[in-house]
Amino acid sequence: DLTFVGSEEPLVLGIVDEFKKAGLKIFGPNKTAAQLEGSKSFAKSILKEANVPTAAFSIVRSLSEARRALVKHDFPVVFKLDGLAAGKGVSVISSCKQAEDYIVNLYKNNSNTKLLIEEFMQGPEFSLFSLVGKNNTVVHTPIAQDHKRRFDGDKGPNTGGMGAYSPVAQISFAIIEKVIKSIVEPVLKVMQDKGNPFTGVLYTGLMLTKSGPKVIEFNVRFGDPEAQVVLPQLKGDFYQMIINLMDGRKPLIEWQKKKFIWLL
Ligand code: AMP
Ligand code: GLY
């Protein structure tokens, strides 16, 4: 009766468009809207248009462009490859030498690879999941915190996610409201105004910096493993909630309100 897509690759390849053509019911973004996850440069352009706070950035496609752009950034900087990378396309670069080695290696075959060079942000990270249906009807879930780096003490490289918990008591409700009003809603509005309304799960990855919450990235699905700590908090019927959203009816949804829950 309904297909709910779990992972990013089929979404970015356009499974929603194909299912709709075949008259099958499916919840998720179409191929263009899935670019919010599939292309970091697309996501940045939407963030800019929506006037949403995110790390300062440059997009480059060659060694000389990368060298020129690096002059404008302080170290550490963050390098991100443009396409899907299963959480492994991000490198924090702490010195000029490390940056030079990275870009020389990246462009050694005169490849045309798009590289995003980003300001390094600091602060606690958290994620908000917004289930978006017809006409931007939205349900927001409790927020979660993901732990991406390998090894004790966050000493290792980034992974797709080592573990997660939810809710995140140290992030106040006022901050979550600010994220909804000044980040999620403007992004959904820009997508709609461009004739490409977003439907599906919009996962906003955020950092609470000294100057307020800023977007790190978008995913267009529930996170793995975040789904496992967020979804058990739903009181009610998941299927019915999705069907209501798809019909543009705001479902009355309740989430558990304790500061923590045990999953046994
Ligand atoms: P992403 O794949 O964009 O979610 O990045 C993976 C992880 O890299 C994030 O969860 C952050 O921990 C880190 N990261 C990404 N962008 C930045 C940034 N601009 N500043 C600091 N850390 C970042
Ligand atoms: N845990 C982060 C992700 O699923 O991308």
Side-chain angles (χ1 to χ4, degrees), residues 161-190:
M162 297 294 291
Y165 69 91
S166 170
V168 186
Q170 63 273 34
I171 304 288
S172 70
F173 188 66
I175 296 287
I176 299 172
E177 246 188 333
K178 189 170 175 182
V179 169
I180 292 171
K181 293 284 167 230
S182 63
I183 295 178
V184 181
E185 289 179 358
V187 164
L188 292 178
K189 181 161 186 316
V190 165

Side-chain angles (χ1 to χ4, degrees), residues 177-237:
E177 246 188 333
K178 189 170 175 182
V179 169
I180 292 171
K181 293 284 167 230
S182 63
I183 295 178
V184 181
E185 289 179 358
V187 164
L188 292 178
K189 181 161 186 316
V190 165
M191 293 298 286
Q192 192 174 42
D193 291 350
K194 291 174 90 73
N196 241 310
F198 183 93
T199 42
V201 183
L202 184 66
Y203 166 146
T204 309
L206 297 139
M207 195 173 277
L208 184 55
T209 69
K210 284 204 179 95
S211 46
K214 291 189 180 181
V215 174
I216 302 173
E217 62 151 357
F218 288 116
N219 292 323
V220 296
R221 53 177 170 85
F222 275 119
D224 172 13
E226 293 95 318
Q228 295 168 66
V229 290
V230 168
L231 288 181
Q233 299 181 71
L234 173 66
K235 291 184 168 178
D237 192 273

Side-chain angles (χ1 to χ4, degrees), residues 2 10 51 60 66 81 85 90 102 105 111 121 135 144 148 155 174 183 201 209 211 216 222 226 236 247 260:
L2 170 70
N51 207 9
V60 300
L81 297 170
V90 175
Y102 184 110
N105 185 46
S111 69
M121 302 187 289
N135 302 327
K148 289 208 168 77
K155 297 275 189 287
I183 295 178
V201 183
T209 69
S211 46
I216 302 173
F222 275 119
E226 293 95 318
D247 291 341
F260 58 87

Side-chain angles (χ1 to χ4, degrees), residues 5 7-19 21 29-35 38 84 220:
V5 189
S7 52
E8 64 275 28
E9 200 174 10
L11 291 166
V12 170
L13 290 173
I15 193 173
V16 169
D17 312 59
E18 294 303 316
F19 269 47
K21 262 189 245 159
N30 65 17
K31 192 173 177 174
T32 309
Q35 291 299 304
L84 291 180
V220 296

Side-chain angles (χ1 to χ4, degrees), residues 3-259:
T3 300
F4 185 100
V5 189
S7 52
E8 64 275 28
E9 200 174 10
L11 291 166
V12 170
L13 290 173
I15 193 173
V16 169
D17 312 59
E18 294 303 316
F19 269 47
K20 283 195 173 154
K21 262 189 245 159
L24 298 167
K25 213 167 198 170
I26 187 164
F27 186 71
N30 65 17
K31 192 173 177 174
T32 309
Q35 291 299 304
L36 279 177
E37 174 165 1
S39 162
K40 289 182 191 291
S41 53
F42 177 87
K44 281 293 201 187
S45 70
I46 298 292
L47 288 167
K48 212 167 165 181
E49 209 168 322
N51 207 9
V52 163
T54 184
F57 68 101
S58 317
I59 294 164
V60 300
R61 286 169 182 274
S62 70
L63 185 58
S64 56
E65 275 180 28
R67 283 185 178 139
R68 267 200 305 278
L70 276 167
V71 178
K72 291 184 270 168
H73 292 270
D74 296 321
F75 288 97
V77 285
V78 180
F79 283 177
K80 296 185 179 180
L81 297 170
D82 195 49
L84 291 180
K88 295 169 199 73
V90 175
S91 312
V92 177
I93 305 287
S94 49
S95 70
C96 218
K97 157 110 182 51
Q98 203 186 350
E100 180 68 13
D101 289 350
Y102 184 110
I103 55 177
V104 165
N105 185 46
L106 184 66
Y107 291 113
K108 69 177 174 228
N109 300 322
N110 283 328
S111 69
N112 202 22
T113 313
K114 242 193 224 176
L115 176 71
L116 190 71
I117 302 179
E118 240 185 43
E119 166 200 4
F120 178 76
M121 302 187 289
Q122 275 175 298
E125 286 183 44
F126 62 102
S127 311
L128 175 69
F129 309 88
S130 309
L131 296 148
V132 189
K134 196 168 154 190
N135 302 327
N136 284 350
T137 316
V138 188
V139 166
H140 305 281
T141 79
I143 61 171
Q145 194 170 72
D146 187 19
H147 293 268
K148 289 208 168 77
R149 293 182 69 166
R150 244 176 110 185
F151 307 139
D152 287 348
D154 279 347
K155 297 275 189 287
N158 269 325
T159 67
M162 297 294 291
Y165 69 91
S166 170
V168 186
Q170 63 273 34
I171 304 288
S172 70
F173 188 66
I175 296 287
I176 299 172
E177 246 188 333
K178 189 170 175 182
V179 169
I180 292 171
K181 293 284 167 230
S182 63
I183 295 178
V184 181
E185 289 179 358
V187 164
L188 292 178
K189 181 161 186 316
V190 165
M191 293 298 286
Q192 192 174 42
D193 291 350
K194 291 174 90 73
N196 241 310
F198 183 93
T199 42
V201 183
L202 184 66
Y203 166 146
T204 309
L206 297 139
M207 195 173 277
L208 184 55
T209 69
K210 284 204 179 95
S211 46
K214 291 189 180 181
V215 174
I216 302 173
E217 62 151 357
F218 288 116
N219 292 323
V220 296
R221 53 177 170 85
F222 275 119
D224 172 13
E226 293 95 318
Q228 295 168 66
V229 290
V230 168
L231 288 181
Q233 299 181 71
L234 173 66
K235 291 184 168 178
D237 192 273
F238 183 72
Y239 171 80
Q240 200 51 53
M241 173 175 75
I242 300 297
I243 294 294
N244 285 344
L245 283 168
M246 289 176 79
D247 291 341
R249 287 189 304 264
K250 179 133 183 135
L252 282 174
I253 288 298
E254 243 193 282
W255 302 93
Q256 72 82 25
K257 292 201 175 58
K258 291 191 208 118
K259 285 202 169 142

